[in-house]
Amino acid sequence: MAQRVAVIGAGPGGLISARWLLSQGFEPTVFEQAPILGGQWTGLRGISGVWPGMHTNTSRILTAFSDLAHGDERTFLPSDDVLAYLQRYAALFDVERRIRLSTKVTRIDRQGGQWVVEHGGDAEVFDKVVVASGRFRAPVLPEVPGLDTFTGSGGVATTFQFRGAERYRGRSVLVAGCAVSALEIASELAHSGAARVVVTQRRQRYVLPKFAAGVPSDHRIFTRYGTLAGEGLPPAEVDRQLREIVVEAGGSPEQYGAPDPGPSLFAAGVTLSQQYLPLVAEGRIAVRPWLRSVSGNEVAFGDGDTEPFDALVFGTGFALDIPFLSEDVARTLDVDAVHLDTDRHTFHPDLPGLAFVGMWDQSGGYFVPLELQARWIAYTWGGTIPAPDPSEQRGAIEAYRARRGMPQKTRMNLAALMFARAAGCEPDLDSWPELRRALLFGPLAPSCFRLGGPDALPGAADVFAREARAFGAIASNDMTPREQAYWSLLS
């Protein structure tokens, strides 16, 4: 009899997990608290931070799974198209009928060698559980003295609650944060009739346009070479190379009139946003130091200046929120608002039969690494690949714990290659000499992880070559002088 697996969440992570579990002979049941599948892409209040009219900041090719392409040829897709894609995917792989909608899981606990899942007053026993409930669903408001006294007519909200610029038309708005949601919302407000838009930030990040010189920026910076460089070169050299790529594509913020982020991209961070810096240069968005306090409708900034505002919008991150884990399980994982003790964000040796999908904080699109993580889980539980060694898992967890208190954001290419290696499907450069440049400096398209290993696909090489050439940057197998210079440092 096939083992039963409870999958918590019917967003991209839950759907791709169920698809690959099915391929390994498991019987997944997907629990979803919302009335429709899609997770963040539903746009439902309280469930999703996606607002009407929002477009992806990741390209079409990297916002897809390996066995279903988008029918749309636009580079950056509207959120409705992504939701429709997920619906098609669930139907194509027989996942749709296995989803229990409007079913909120309230507790997960272990019982002997099995797992008990409680929902709506009922309890069911499963052989295994995959938690794919989402990393970005509990927005955090920073502690700002007097914030609860704010009297502006537009109130205080988070970017997770933002549902369009209309309610802010004619108002002065302070947007707090420098991550993608804050910058995209500030840009939308400036374009949509807000009387004044000010961004307040703790530090200035580098800002990379979504599209530069005809190429999506996630094709430029989330490459396999970037992962190999991080493993084989001094951090300062990797920092220099990344900053060079970013500044060449979009300039440096101080050139637009924003603060200077400093010489280190690693220290400053980087955000994708197409319109933000040009709007700063035009004076339609002002940039201020971090807010120090609030009194009535007046906000005091770190430089001592004050300014009245009608509305405050905070894009200041999310807490890790997994409230349904039992006390015992949560204690074993040492869960807090930021950390979850797991081997490569997935397994814990003391919790066999439990896995997590998509619960790490990342820059860049999630679709590709989500699929690779789901394949790793399914292959491990299905016996396609050997299970991880418990002692190595404990070592990985100890290494993770040693980094607590340090920045936790992971670049998409690092996550993707980590999971691909674990799943046994990292493409071999020597096996594909005609694709060598594309595999190193081209996009980490999902098709490249079907070239070899378990579930290799006939025709994957043609698909990947076409996707690498889609925007003209990888039109031949001849490296550019800069690529040759970078590669020579590793070779």
Side-chain angles (χ1 to χ4, degrees):
M1 181 180 296
Q3 289 194 335
R4 299 180 68 222
V5 184
V7 179
I8 316 304
L15 297 177
I16 195 68
S17 296
R19 178 262 186 270
W20 284 102
L21 288 166
L22 280 166
S23 78
Q24 290 289 309
F26 294 97
E27 284 292 332
T29 299
V30 184
F31 294 90
E32 172 53 56
Q33 64 176 328
I36 58 175
L37 66 83
Q40 286 285 349
W41 297 101
T42 64
L44 296 175
R45 292 181 183 273
I47 300 292
S48 163
V50 169
W51 61 90
M54 192 194 91
H55 284 64
T56 63
N57 70 318
T58 56
S59 63
R60 175 189 72 248
I61 290 171
L62 298 187
T63 311
F65 299 129
S66 65
D67 35 27
L68 181 65
H70 287 282
D72 197 314
E73 290 303 310
R74 285 174 290 184
T75 305
F76 299 99
L77 301 174
S79 59
D80 288 350
D81 282 27
V82 181
L83 178 59
Y85 173 87
L86 294 173
Q87 291 166 340
R88 291 198 309 275
Y89 196 88
L92 178 64
F93 289 100
D94 196 32
V95 173
E96 190 175 39
R97 69 182 180 87
R98 300 169 186 274
I99 303 172
R100 298 187 193 175
L101 299 172
S102 302
T103 305
K104 183 176 182 177
V105 171
T106 55
R107 182 178 172 84
I108 292 175
D109 201 0
R110 49 185 169 178
Q111 178 179 285
Q114 295 181 301
W115 293 86
V116 177
V117 176
E118 297 180 5
H119 53 88
D122 295 327
E124 293 183 68
V125 177
F126 290 86
D127 298 291
K128 302 182 187 301
V129 172
V130 174
V131 175
S133 52
R135 178 64 180 79
F136 304 103
R137 62 193 200 94
V140 173
L141 280 175
E143 292 187 8
V144 178
L147 182 59
D148 58 347
T149 73
F150 182 69
T151 58
S153 59
V156 178
T158 66
T159 55
F160 187 76
Q161 298 166 312
F162 182 80
R163 286 298 180 272
E166 180 61 34
R167 69 183 298 262
Y168 298 101
R169 191 179 301 276
R171 289 172 161 163
S172 59
V173 187
L174 179 67
V175 181
C178 200
V180 59
S181 61
L183 301 194
E184 292 291 273
I185 286 172
S187 300
E188 185 163 330
L189 292 171
H191 279 300
S192 302
R196 176 166 166 77
V197 180
V198 177
V199 168
T200 177
Q201 52 195 18
R202 292 186 176 92
R203 68 180 189 280
Q204 175 65 57
R205 295 186 183 187
Y206 285 87
V207 181
L208 184 63
K210 297 193 300 185
F211 221 169
V215 180
S217 290
D218 57 1
H219 289 217
R220 295 177 183 272
I221 62 171
F222 300 123
T223 65
R224 185 176 182 183
Y225 168 79
T227 301
L228 299 176
E231 295 167 347
L233 297 178
E237 174 60 20
V238 181
D239 192 353
R240 184 194 72 79
Q241 291 182 11
L242 274 174
R243 183 182 182 278
E244 184 175 74
I245 293 169
V246 169
V247 172
E248 182 182 275
S252 194
E254 74 276 7
Q255 295 174 284
Y256 295 81
D260 186 339
S264 171
L265 183 139
F266 282 172
V270 62
T271 298
L272 287 171
S273 181
Q274 190 72 22
Q275 300 296 330
Y276 173 72
L277 286 179
L279 289 167
V280 171
E282 293 173 1
R284 296 166 69 184
I285 294 177
V287 185
R288 302 303 307 275
W290 189 244
L291 68 174
R292 187 178 65 195
S293 63
V294 176
S295 178
N297 71 338
E298 292 277 340
V299 173
F301 296 101
D303 59 2
D305 287 348
T306 62
E307 184 175 341
F309 289 95
D310 298 313
L312 309 180
V313 179
F314 286 85
T316 43
F318 294 80
L320 180 62
D321 183 37
I322 321 176
F324 46 79
L325 296 179
S326 72
E327 296 83 354
D328 169 55
V329 173
R331 184 169 53 251
T332 301
L333 295 163
D334 199 12
V335 179
D336 62 19
V338 177
H339 305 100
L340 176 71
D341 283 357
T342 49
D343 171 23
R344 287 164 285 181
H345 310 295
T346 307
F347 298 116
H348 193 289
D350 295 334
L351 298 169
L354 178 67
F356 294 85
V357 166
M359 302 302 285
W360 71 97
D361 192 3
Q362 178 181 284
S363 58
Y366 273 84
F367 275 64
V368 175
L370 283 177
E371 177 171 359
L372 293 166
Q373 188 181 31
R375 289 173 68 184
W376 178 29
I377 293 167
Y379 293 163
T380 299
W381 285 349
T384 297
I385 60 175
D389 179 82
S391 63
E392 294 179 359
Q393 288 185 306
R394 294 185 198 283
I397 289 170
E398 285 306 311
Y400 170 79
R401 290 185 62 83
R403 298 193 299 273
R404 285 198 173 202
M406 300 170 64
Q408 297 293 319
K409 193 172 284 292
T410 300
R411 297 195 303 278
M412 172 267 188
N413 51 332
L414 305 186
L417 266 294
M418 175 176 65
F419 296 137
R421 290 167 181 173
C425 57
E426 179 183 14
D428 178 31
L429 290 174
D430 293 336
S431 298
W432 303 96
E434 73 278 15
L435 297 175
R436 185 178 184 83
R437 182 186 173 215
L439 287 170
L440 284 170
F441 295 100
L444 276 179
S447 55
C448 79
F449 299 106
R450 303 296 294 273
L451 292 171
D455 291 296
L457 275 179
D462 292 337
V463 173
F464 177 62
R466 184 168 62 251
E467 291 175 335
R469 293 194 304 264
F471 298 94
I474 308 291
S476 74
N477 210 24
D478 297 325
M479 293 186 189
T480 66
R482 186 177 69 188
E483 290 167 353
Q484 290 174 342
Y486 284 177
W487 184 239
S488 68
L489 296 174
L490 281 176
S491 301

